[in-house]
Amino acid sequence: MSLTEHQITVDSLEWFYRESSPIGRTDLLPVVLLHGLVSQSYSWRNILPALANQGTRAIAPDWIGSGSSAKPEKRDFAYTPDAYITALEGFIKALEIERFSLVVQGFLGSVGLQYALRHPEQIANTAILNTPISTAAKLPWKIKQMGLPLAGEVMTQDPLLVDRTLEGGSRYRIEDKDLDVYRKPFLKTSSVGRALLASIRNLQLEKAMTEIESGFKEWQQPILIQWGMIDPWLSVDTAQKFADSVANAELVKLNNVGHYPQEHYHKTILEDLLPFIRRSESN
């Protein structure tokens, strides 16, 4: 097993993704892991190998506009949920993934849940880590201010916004070697800041939350909700309400964990995530 990096061009959009492949044959379905704002697939660096070790192919892309994926101007890519969903459809098809387990986290992770609702036949089970899933969810000020007129244009060109957002959301310090990876796209090109600005302005959170909240009430496939209890932006009450409204959902509360659980607490996450993903074999 090894963690590898790849690039693939789909419908003129270049995707970067990380993948861990199990050694030998496996009957387990693959797993697709989607990151949130202002993160990257790098956030899954400790989760991917563990999934592969148990025989699961694990794939984590950088969203278009993030990390090392393409960062088209907004005239060429709308940065709306619908645009992201269409792009993700192409990515999954290009990798010849027919059915899979889905893991999502954060703002933009919610787009993955919208994808699931529109492609239920592809989804074996779903794990949700601190992702907006309720009409009560609001874009936190730390992120919302990046979309403000004039101020947003300046803020999204500052590489240190990565430090402030990731550490502010997680409530823990992140090692410099890891922050260097998250900052790198902002140091290389101004296009990543423009993409982030467009994503925040076009997130259509209220509309997306209405789709998610109503759509999952009819959902039958298993859902694991792993929730950092000290998330400053998303309340555990919304997770509890969501779990209570869905037929086959389990909520695991993670003490002393913030908005980006996989960043500091991958071992805790894996205790429940690994056996949950293994269930996809029988679905």
Side-chain angles (χ1 to χ4, degrees):
M1 185 283 303
S2 61
L3 183 60
T4 55
E5 299 178 353
H6 306 271
Q7 289 180 309
I8 185 172
T9 300
V10 185
D11 299 327
S12 77
L13 294 172
E14 186 175 85
W15 288 83
F16 172 91
Y17 64 99
R18 292 176 165 88
E19 179 174 358
S20 281
S21 300
I23 296 173
R25 184 176 175 180
T26 177
D27 294 325
L28 293 172
L29 293 175
V31 183
V32 175
L33 303 98
L34 301 175
H35 68 83
L37 297 170
V38 298
S39 191
Q40 300 175 28
S41 61
Y42 183 73
S43 69
W44 302 111
R45 61 195 176 277
N46 294 312
I47 303 290
L48 293 166
L51 288 166
N53 280 339
Q54 76 164 15
T56 302
R57 180 190 181 195
I59 301 133
D62 286 346
W63 280 114
I64 297 300
S66 299
S68 297
S69 286
K71 302 163 188 72
E73 298 299 327
K74 60 185 179 181
R75 65 178 177 271
D76 300 314
F77 185 79
Y79 292 99
T80 60
D82 283 345
Y84 277 118
I85 290 166
T86 298
L88 185 59
E89 287 172 350
F91 174 76
I92 289 171
K93 185 176 181 180
L95 292 187
E96 299 181 345
I97 301 172
E98 295 181 359
R99 199 157 181 264
F100 59 95
S101 296
L102 176 66
V103 181
V104 301
Q105 185 274 320
F107 294 86
L108 268 194
S110 55
V111 174
L113 296 178
Q114 291 176 275
Y115 178 93
L117 289 172
R118 300 181 194 187
H119 301 274
E121 74 287 349
Q122 290 187 314
I123 309 300
N125 49 21
T126 307
I128 301 172
L129 285 68
N130 290 73
T131 300
I133 47 177
S134 164
T135 50
K138 306 297 180 187
L139 200 62
W141 175 246
K142 191 172 285 287
I143 293 178
K144 186 176 182 179
Q145 62 184 332
M146 298 178 201
L148 295 176
L150 300 179
E153 274 85 355
V154 176
M155 290 186 69
T156 52
Q157 293 301 325
D158 180 4
L160 293 181
L161 74 87
V162 174
D163 305 39
R164 292 192 291 266
T165 308
L166 293 177
E167 293 187 331
S170 65
R171 293 190 166 179
Y172 292 96
R173 183 179 178 276
I174 296 175
E175 296 293 329
D176 285 339
K177 66 179 178 61
D178 297 321
L179 285 174
D180 284 345
V181 177
Y182 290 120
R183 293 186 199 117
K184 187 176 180 180
F186 291 87
L187 295 170
K188 289 179 64 177
T189 174
S190 61
S191 61
V192 67
R194 291 193 295 275
L196 176 60
L197 181 72
S199 297
I200 293 168
R201 288 178 173 174
N202 294 288
L203 198 55
Q204 301 172 4
L205 193 61
E206 185 176 346
K207 181 181 177 182
M209 292 302 101
T210 299
E211 180 180 357
I212 288 169
E213 198 172 77
S214 61
F216 276 97
K217 288 179 180 178
E218 307 299 323
W219 193 259
Q220 297 300 316
Q221 299 288 37
I223 296 177
L224 172 65
I225 306 168
Q226 296 181 289
W227 207 267
M229 295 288 283
I230 60 169
D231 187 331
W233 303 330
L234 294 171
S235 167
V236 70
D237 293 340
T238 63
Q240 186 66 64
K241 184 179 178 183
F242 182 88
D244 292 342
S245 71
V246 177
N248 199 3
E250 174 189 4
L251 172 62
V252 176
K253 298 177 181 179
L254 307 174
N255 293 322
N256 302 315
V257 181
H259 181 71
Y260 300 94
Q262 71 273 39
E263 197 62 48
H264 295 92
Y265 285 91
H266 65 277
K267 292 180 180 177
T268 305
I269 291 168
L270 288 166
E271 289 176 9
D272 292 293
L273 183 63
L274 291 178
F276 177 75
I277 293 300
R278 284 199 299 270
R279 291 167 58 184
S280 68
E281 183 178 20
S282 59
N283 281 322

